[in-house]
């Protein structure tokens, strides 16, 4: 059956203003020093570019690429590799503006994206290799799918051979009670990823475990082999079948498979080397060993190679990154020292943090760029509070002051936390209560558990399996946004159904003297127990395609039941006609009418608009998952898609983080802030135990010991290297990255109480004077904060008019409006 008429792409679900990308504000022209001009003039051979935060490494790379293309170079011959999809999208957009944004005559386009992630490029290589050999195309195994496979195999090992499970699994006795826990499955998955990133297969992992007497590695190697066989069997569908695909590959295996394809196909390798004549790698400190091999394979014959990065910003070693990625290609080094980002006070604070980082640090020396006019000095505020609520209130107050008295746009502010689970809920509540708009990351829930997705999946499940529809499901559907039945409307509906069936046999009451007689039920309980079968019967009839017979009841009473019944009928008819899950889902979405409703709510803004944005993002992700499932298994039906989502216990890829949020303060983790900058940055929650977080990662299966062993750092059982020192170093680098995102104002805070103490990082950022024993705990009263804010607003209103400066006029206007409100 043909695809139903609808706008192209899942993004056409709702054209809410919050989902339309705002135009990028063009940054000011940077003044390059001699080191930067050397990079711009680099024409051939490899060159390593090292620089601290704000030295313009990424902008310099893009400027060099844009200049080469404007000079007539073929864009197809340039490849830019980055570490994340978000960075790739941002750099792609910036590069397009540099090439075409000035109204020049450069109109050449490229069939391949100039900027790609390493995994995206590896996937492209595998597609070319498959096409050259007439093989099925490759398929990427998402983390949620991989986790489902790992948990399924572990469940078989728990069951044992007597119940169809695995015999002699080899797991040590001390680990067997943990096999069924989600944490064990997650750690085992991480171990397999780290092994694959370092070129270790099942046999190599088993051999390492046997040689070094690490039983968990030997058992993991045997599990790795079983896992590979299961993935191969899942991809086996026959070369001629329409659903035929290559075996699914996870993110770590993707790069390894691309390297194998290039090694086994000399013609493919020669073609790629001929095409990629200019190779550029940004954030090279985040490369893992396999990715480094891919860079070497391409850079060996490239006309020019640029590797940019900073070892002091290597914060992804827990994901397998190796800071030696900057050494992937032998090259001369250019060190950038001109800081184009930070105000002097912020730069001085960052320099104090950098002095405590391990290693030499080639790019730690930063200074103001020559020739640029002196700007504001900036400010660094370090505070300690008695509770998390006081801390969050202070952060909200400082952000409001920056917006109202200094005119800083909300989108130029950010709050960076070490953990979203621990810090962001309190911060989000305080910011929203203070009237500060926020753009927070989505909840880390699997797609099937997202509140906006649950009702849609229930409709698909009940439409394809009407016999499984029970009273709880019927009530959930009627009270969901699809039915919109509040308690009063649901009660009127139940009473109407009971009136239609008033002729049914009444239940005889037992004598009051009978001690075994059931106690009389309340009217509400009788109403519910008597109407539940009627609700279920009506919805099951709709799912089977029979129209709603309740024509005798008033429409206002039966509206929720009719709405849900219509959706079940639409979904049931489409599923019986053999339509795919994506098509059935689209028909249900068109019939439910939630798109326009949520779009209008999103346009109004506020908490309701933010909730509508989250719901739309979740539905977009659902359609994306349905499209991927349909593409991978063209013959699969709705039931297969529902089972596919139900097995996932990890958040899958979503469009939500990419959705623009308009003018709002960004609430992010420090890891997610890499490569970005804001005028005002708040870093709350800097307590011992949370930042630095020195809990050992992966200690159950020895993930970190495996990485150290392969790297030649240590041997199992020989604690020659402190296990806490690398963790403390990475935590210190992460704090350094968070603080260097600020341009003008840096706000750092902590909580001091009976169970919480400020982090040692506070003293490294802002040392306590020798005459002061400790930092005072700030407990600002509401009246004092309000009085200070009123005073600042009055001073802003009375700011002298220096001419036609629009910034001054805008600050005065904002201050006057806010002062009138207070």
């Amino acid at each position: 059956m043909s695809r139903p008429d609808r706008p192209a792409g899942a993004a056409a679900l709702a054209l809410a203003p919050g989902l339309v990308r705002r135009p990028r504000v063009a940054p000011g022209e940077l003044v390059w020093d001699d080191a930067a001009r050397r990079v711009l003039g680099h024409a051939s051979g490899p060159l390593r570019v090292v620089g601290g935060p704000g030295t313009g490494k990424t902008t310099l790379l893009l400027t060099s690429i844009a200049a080469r293309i404007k000079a007539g170079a073929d864009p197809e011959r340039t490849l830019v590799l980055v570490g994340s999809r978000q960075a790739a999208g941002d750099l792609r957009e910036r590069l397009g503006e540099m090439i075409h944004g000035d109204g020049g005559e450069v109109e050449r386009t490229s069939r391949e994206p100039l900027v790609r992630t390493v995994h995206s490029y590896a996937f492209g290589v595998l597609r070319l290799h498959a096409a050259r050999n007439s093989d099925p195309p490759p398929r990427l195994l998402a983390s949620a799918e991989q986790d489902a496979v790992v948990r399924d195999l572990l469940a078989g090992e728990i069951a044992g051979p007597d119940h169809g499970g695995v015999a002699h699994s080899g797991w040590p006795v001390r680990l067997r009670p943990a096999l069924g826990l989600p944490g064990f499955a997650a750690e085992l998955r991480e171990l397999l990823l780290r092994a694959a990133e370092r070129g270790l297969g099942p046999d190599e992992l088993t051999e390492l475990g046997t040689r070094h007497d690490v039983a968990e590695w030997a058992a993991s190697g045997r599990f790795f082999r079983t896992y590979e066989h299961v993935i191969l069997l899942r991809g086996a569908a026959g070369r001629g079948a329409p659903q035929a695909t290559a075996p699914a590959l996870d993110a770590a295996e993707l790069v390894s498979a691309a390297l194998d394809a290039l090694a086994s196909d000399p013609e493919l390798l020669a073609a790629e080397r001929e095409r990629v004549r200019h190779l550029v790698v940004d954030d090279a400190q985040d490369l893992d060993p396999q990715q480094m091999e891919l860079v070497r394979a391409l850079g060996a014959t490239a006309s020019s190679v640029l590797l940019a990065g900073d070892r002091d910003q290597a914060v992804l070693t827990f994901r397998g990154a190796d800071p030696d990625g900057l050494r992937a290609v032998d090259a001369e080094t250019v060190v950038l020292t001109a800081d184009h980002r930070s105000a002097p006070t912020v730069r001085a604070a960052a320099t104090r943090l950098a002095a405590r980082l391990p290693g030499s640090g080639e790019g730690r020396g930063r200074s103001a760029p020559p020739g640029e006019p002196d700007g504001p000095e900036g400010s660094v505020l370090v505070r300690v509070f008695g509770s998390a609520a006081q801390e969050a209130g202070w952060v909200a107050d400082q952000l409001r002051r920056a917006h109202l008295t200094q005119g800083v746009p909300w989108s130029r502010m950010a709050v960076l936390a070490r953990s979203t689970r621990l810090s962001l809920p309190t911060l989000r509540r305080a910011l929203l209560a203070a009237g500060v708009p926020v753009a927070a990351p989505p909840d880390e829930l699997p797609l099937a558990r997202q509140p906006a997705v649950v009702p849609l999946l229930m409709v698909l499940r009940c439409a394809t399996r009407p016999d499984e529809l029970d009273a709880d499901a019927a009530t959930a559907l009627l009270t969901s946004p699809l039915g919109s039945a509040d308690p009063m409307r649901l009660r009127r509906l139940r009473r109407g159904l009971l009136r239609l069936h008033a002729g049914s046999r009444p239940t005889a009451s037992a004598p009051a003297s009978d001690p075994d007689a059931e106690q009389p039920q309340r009217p509400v309980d009788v109403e519910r127990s008597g109407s539940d079968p009627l609700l279920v019967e009506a919805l099951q009839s709709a799912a089977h395609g029979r129209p709603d017979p309740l024509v005798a009841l008033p429409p206002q009473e039966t509206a929720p039941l009719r709405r849900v019944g219509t959706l079940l009928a639409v979904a049931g008819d489409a599923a019986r006609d053999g339509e795919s899950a994506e098509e059935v889902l689209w028909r249900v979405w068109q019939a439910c009418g939630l798109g326009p409703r949520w779009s209008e709510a999103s346009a109004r803004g506020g908490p309701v608009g933010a909730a509508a944005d989250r719901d739309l993002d979740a539905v977009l992700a659902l359609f994306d998952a349905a499209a991927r499932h349909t593409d991978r298994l063209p013959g699969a039906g709705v039931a297969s898609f529902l089972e596919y989502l139900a097995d996932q216990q990890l958040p899958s890829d979503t469009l939500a983080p990419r959705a623009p949020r308009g003018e709002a303060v960004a609430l992010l983790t420090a890891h997610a802030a890499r490569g970005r900058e804001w005028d005002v940055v708040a870093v709350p929650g800097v307590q011992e135990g949370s930042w630095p977080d020195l809990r050992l990662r992966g200690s159950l299966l020895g993930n970190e010991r495996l990485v150290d062993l392969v790297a030649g750092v240590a041997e199992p059982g020989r604690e020659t290297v402190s296990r806490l020192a690398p963790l403390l170093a990475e935590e210190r680098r992460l704090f350094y990255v968070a603080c260097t995102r600020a341009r003008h104002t840096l706000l750092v805070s902590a909580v001091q109480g009976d169970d919480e103490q400020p982090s040692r990082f506070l003293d490294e950022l802002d040392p306590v004077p020798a005459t002061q024993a400790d930092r005072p705990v700030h407990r600002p009263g509401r009246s004092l904060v309000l009085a200070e804010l009123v005073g600042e607003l009055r001073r802003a209103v009375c700011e002298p008019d220096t001419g036609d400066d629009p910034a001054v006029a805008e600050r005065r206007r904002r201050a006057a409006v806010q002062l009138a409100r207070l």
Side-chain angles (χ1 to χ4, degrees):
M1 176 171 289
S2 61
R3 185 185 300 270
D5 294 334
R6 61 183 175 92
L13 283 173
L15 298 179
L19 298 179
V20 178
R21 184 175 294 277
R22 294 177 290 108
R24 180 187 295 274
V25 178
E29 191 70 23
L30 300 182
V31 179
W32 300 119
D33 58 4
D34 292 339
R37 285 193 290 271
R38 181 181 173 188
V39 177
L40 291 176
H42 180 70
S44 62
L47 185 66
R48 184 183 302 107
V49 183
V50 177
T55 53
K57 299 183 295 297
T58 301
T59 303
L60 191 61
L61 297 180
L62 297 180
T63 303
S64 174
I65 297 168
R68 182 183 295 116
I69 294 176
K70 287 183 178 181
D74 185 359
E76 292 278 352
R77 298 300 186 92
T78 300
L79 175 64
V80 184
L81 296 178
V82 296
S84 67
R85 286 186 300 174
Q86 180 176 353
D90 292 341
L91 266 61
R92 202 175 295 130
E93 185 177 351
R94 291 176 59 186
L95 186 58
E97 292 173 354
M98 288 182 177
I99 297 175
H100 305 285
D102 58 355
E105 298 180 357
V106 179
E107 298 293 341
R108 304 184 66 178
T109 59
S110 173
R111 291 172 296 178
E112 294 287 337
L114 287 176
V115 185
R116 308 183 70 172
T117 66
V118 179
H119 294 101
S120 172
Y121 175 75
F123 189 80
V125 169
L126 293 176
R127 287 183 63 90
L128 286 176
H129 180 67
R132 289 168 58 90
N133 295 276
S134 300
D135 289 336
R139 184 170 78 86
L140 181 61
L141 186 67
S143 58
E145 294 180 77
Q146 185 184 17
D147 179 72
V149 174
V150 170
R151 286 187 291 103
D152 189 35
L153 293 178
L154 286 175
E157 301 198 351
I158 295 173
D162 296 337
H163 302 279
V166 179
H168 308 297
S169 62
W171 293 108
V173 176
R174 63 182 180 84
L175 293 181
R176 290 176 187 172
L179 295 183
L181 300 178
F184 184 85
E187 190 165 327
L188 178 58
R189 189 168 62 89
E190 288 296 320
L191 179 67
L192 301 186
L193 288 175
R194 299 292 85 79
E197 288 165 353
R198 279 145 181 81
L200 301 179
D203 295 337
E204 291 82 2
L205 185 57
T206 302
E207 193 272 333
L208 277 178
T210 304
R211 187 201 319 166
H212 297 285
D213 195 22
V214 183
E216 51 266 34
W217 290 357
S220 298
R222 182 211 50 76
F223 181 91
F224 199 175
R225 187 180 300 107
T226 304
Y227 169 82
E228 283 191 342
H229 291 167
V230 169
I231 295 299
L232 288 172
L233 289 174
R234 288 193 172 195
R239 295 297 178 88
Q243 67 268 29
T245 63
L249 302 170
D250 58 42
E253 294 171 327
L254 199 61
V255 179
S256 177
L259 288 171
D260 292 341
L262 293 174
S264 62
D265 192 343
E267 294 182 359
L268 176 62
L269 176 60
E272 283 300 296
R273 284 178 167 175
E274 177 62 25
R275 186 179 69 84
V276 180
R277 304 309 302 156
H278 303 283
L279 178 64
V280 179
V281 182
D282 195 16
D283 288 332
Q285 77 276 356
D286 294 334
L287 297 175
D288 63 42
Q290 293 287 85
Q291 295 171 359
M292 292 165 59
E293 288 295 328
L294 185 60
V295 170
R296 293 190 188 101
L298 295 176
T301 58
S303 299
S304 67
V305 180
L306 285 175
L307 272 76
D310 180 16
R311 291 181 65 94
D312 290 338
Q313 298 184 66
V315 295
L316 296 181
T317 56
F318 70 97
R319 291 185 181 175
D322 188 344
D324 283 337
L326 280 166
R327 305 287 177 182
V329 176
D330 292 333
E332 189 178 356
T333 301
V334 172
V335 179
L336 304 178
T337 58
D339 180 12
H340 301 276
R341 174 186 299 165
S342 303
T345 303
V346 179
R347 184 186 310 121
T351 300
R352 291 192 291 270
L353 290 178
R356 302 298 299 270
L357 295 174
S360 58
E362 297 172 294
R364 292 180 187 173
R366 296 186 299 154
S367 59
E372 285 194 1
D374 295 334
E377 286 294 318
S379 62
V380 176
L381 301 180
V382 179
R383 298 288 186 269
V384 176
F385 297 91
S387 67
Q390 292 177 351
E391 179 187 38
W394 177 76
V395 171
D397 175 66
Q398 293 297 318
L399 297 184
R400 285 190 65 185
R401 291 172 187 267
H403 180 68
L404 297 173
T405 65
Q406 303 174 25
V408 180
W410 295 121
S411 59
R412 296 298 305 161
M413 306 184 200
V415 179
L416 308 182
R418 176 64 179 87
S419 169
T420 57
R421 181 177 58 86
L422 298 177
S423 302
L424 289 191
T426 303
L427 291 167
R428 180 188 298 174
R429 287 193 297 269
L431 292 173
L432 291 176
V436 178
V438 297
D443 296 330
E444 293 296 320
L445 286 175
L447 182 57
R449 299 181 190 174
Q450 295 285 346
V453 169
V454 170
L456 296 173
L457 295 182
M458 288 184 65
V459 168
L460 299 187
R461 184 177 298 106
C462 295
T464 54
R465 301 173 183 173
D467 296 338
E468 297 182 7
L469 199 156
D470 55 14
D472 292 337
T475 303
L477 283 173
L478 292 172
T479 56
S480 72
L482 300 178
S484 302
D486 55 34
M488 293 301 298
R489 298 187 75 178
L490 186 59
R491 188 173 183 182
R492 286 198 298 267
L493 174 60
R494 291 181 182 275
R495 287 180 174 178
L497 291 174
L498 290 175
R499 287 199 306 270
L500 284 182
H501 296 77
S504 59
R505 186 181 60 174
T507 302
S509 300
S513 59
D514 186 356
D516 297 329
E518 295 183 359
Q519 296 298 321
Q521 292 181 311
R522 295 179 301 169
V524 175
D525 296 333
V526 174
E527 182 179 287
R528 181 177 295 112
S529 61
S531 60
D532 278 346
L534 304 179
L535 288 176
V536 172
E537 181 183 356
L539 293 180
Q540 286 179 339
S541 298
H544 285 295
R546 293 190 290 270
D548 180 16
L550 306 180
V551 294
L553 294 179
Q556 62 270 20
E557 292 185 4
T558 60
L561 185 62
R562 292 180 185 275
R563 279 193 291 264
V564 175
T566 299
L567 297 179
L568 290 174
V570 168
D573 292 341
R576 283 188 291 272
D577 289 340
E579 295 188 6
S580 66
E582 183 186 12
E583 292 166 336
V584 175
L585 187 61
W586 179 254
R587 293 191 184 277
V588 172
W589 178 254
Q590 283 184 312
C592 72
L594 289 179
R597 191 193 314 173
W598 287 348
S599 298
E600 294 174 2
S602 175
R604 288 194 296 268
V608 176
D613 281 341
R614 289 194 297 270
D615 291 340
L616 286 170
D617 287 335
V619 176
L620 284 169
L622 177 62
F623 272 91
D624 186 59
R628 290 200 306 262
H629 186 267
T630 301
D631 292 340
R632 293 171 184 172
L633 299 172
V638 176
S640 174
F641 175 64
L642 294 174
E643 183 180 357
Y644 161 77
L645 287 183
D647 288 340
Q648 298 181 6
Q649 294 188 4
L650 290 179
S652 58
D653 293 338
T654 175
L655 302 177
R658 296 285 300 156
R661 299 294 183 177
E663 282 297 321
V665 176
L667 268 66
L668 298 171
T669 63
H671 287 101
R674 295 176 299 115
R676 304 177 64 181
E677 64 178 34
W678 295 269
D679 292 339
V680 180
V681 171
V683 185
V686 188
Q687 276 95 240
E688 287 290 339
S690 60
W691 207 342
D693 182 0
L694 299 181
R695 292 173 298 176
L696 295 176
R697 281 78 154 171
S699 57
L700 188 62
L701 294 180
N703 299 359
E704 74 291 337
R705 287 182 291 148
L706 178 68
V707 172
D708 291 343
L709 175 65
V710 177
V713 176
E715 291 283 335
R718 300 180 183 178
E719 299 296 337
T720 58
V721 179
S722 169
R723 298 175 63 184
L724 292 180
L727 290 178
L728 179 59
E730 178 146 350
E731 291 289 300
R732 184 173 274 119
R733 288 195 297 267
L734 184 62
F735 185 67
Y736 174 69
V737 167
C739 293
T740 53
R741 301 307 96 191
R743 292 179 59 87
H744 305 307
T745 304
L746 175 62
L747 312 170
V748 182
S749 58
V751 174
Q752 183 174 352
D754 295 337
D755 299 325
E756 295 176 305
Q757 294 298 323
S759 171
R760 68 195 77 176
F761 293 164
L762 293 185
D763 289 333
E764 297 174 6
L765 176 69
D766 182 30
V768 176
T771 57
Q772 183 176 326
D774 201 355
R775 297 184 184 277
V777 179
H778 293 259
R779 294 181 174 86
R782 179 178 177 82
S783 59
L784 178 60
V785 171
L786 187 61
E788 292 179 354
L789 181 57
V790 170
E792 289 190 17
L793 291 174
R794 286 175 176 170
R795 287 191 292 272
V797 171
C798 299
E799 185 177 0
D801 193 354
T802 58
D804 298 330
D805 189 351
V808 174
E810 178 64 16
R811 284 199 299 270
R812 295 178 63 185
R813 186 191 67 79
R814 289 175 180 271
V817 171
Q818 188 64 20
L819 188 59
R821 292 178 180 175
L822 294 175

